[in-house]
Each structure stands twice: as structure tokens, then as C-alpha cells.
Amino acid sequence: MAAGEQQGRDYLQRHRIPALLHRLGALVLYHRPERPREFLIQALEKVKAGRRAEGEYPNLMDEDNVVAMFGLLDAVGQGHITAAQYREALNTLGLATEDLQIEDDAIITLDVFMQEV
């Protein structure tokens, strides 16, 4: 792989561009707006405001979806999931896990899961 290509890949990863594009694509497919470009502009404005803590980050899933996902992960009804299940759920949703500081033996409750997802 050429040095320029690797620099480009590093740049995209450093700025989390693939995850952002994945999330935006998922939002468009989920909502199927009549005017997708305007919808994407509004979503990016929400991302920008959410990062400045001035607004709510655009969500693909509502509270019921998050509870249902947790229920699928907690198939035996223990009231918690493992750290590995938690990381995998975040990855599946396209959420970053690189900065996640959680011990491998941690127990994730529904409250924690809902707050983070």
C-alpha cells in the first residue's frame, strides 16, 4: 500500500469518518426522507450541536428499540450483559469503542446501556 493511501486511511480513522458516514446512511435508510440531502444537512447540524452540548445528537433508535436490543442481549433475563456483549452492541450500531474504558469483567445494566447507546 502506498504511503499516501495509508495516510488517507489514517486520516479517515482518526476523524471517525467511516463511522459517521455509516451512521448517516443508517439514518437516511431508517427515516427515508423525501429530501435526503436536506435531511443529511440537518443531521450533521445536530451532530455538530450535540458535540458542543447544545443539542441532542441525532438518534437512529428510540428508547423502545434500545430496551428491545438489551433484551436480546440479556436472553436469560439476568438484568445485565457482559462487557463483551456491550462492546459488540456498540460496534454493531456503528458507535465508537476505542475510548471505551470498561473492564472485561464489568456488568452492564439496562440503565447504563440506555444512557450510553
Side-chain angles (χ1 to χ4, degrees):
M1 179 182 327
E5 185 178 343
Q6 186 59 48
Q7 287 175 340
R9 289 176 190 256
D10 292 345
Y11 174 84
L12 291 173
Q13 290 301 322
R14 184 172 58 251
H15 293 284
R16 298 182 179 159
I17 302 300
L20 175 63
L21 293 175
H22 176 77
R23 183 174 179 84
L24 290 172
L27 283 169
V28 168
L29 288 173
Y30 181 79
H31 293 285
R32 297 182 193 266
E34 287 294 319
R35 302 172 83 165
R37 286 186 176 96
E38 288 181 21
F39 177 85
L40 288 169
I41 290 168
Q42 291 172 354
L44 285 169
E45 287 173 352
K46 287 180 183 179
V47 168
K48 188 176 174 182
R51 290 206 173 162
R52 290 190 313 248
E54 295 174 358
E56 193 170 309
Y57 200 81
N59 294 314
L60 174 60
M61 301 174 68
D62 63 18
E63 191 171 299
D64 291 336
N65 297 133
V66 176
V67 171
M69 182 178 216
F70 185 85
L72 291 171
L73 295 167
D74 180 23
V76 294
Q78 298 178 75
H80 64 272
I81 60 173
T82 66
Q85 289 173 303
Y86 178 57
R87 282 189 195 95
E88 187 60 31
L90 294 178
N91 283 328
T92 299
L93 293 171
L95 302 173
T97 58
E98 301 89 37
D99 299 330
L100 191 62
Q101 296 181 3
I102 187 167
E103 299 295 322
D104 288 339
D105 61 349
I107 303 270
I108 309 301
T109 64
L110 175 60
D111 291 336
V112 170
F113 188 76
M114 288 184 66
Q115 181 180 3
E116 296 300 320
V117 172

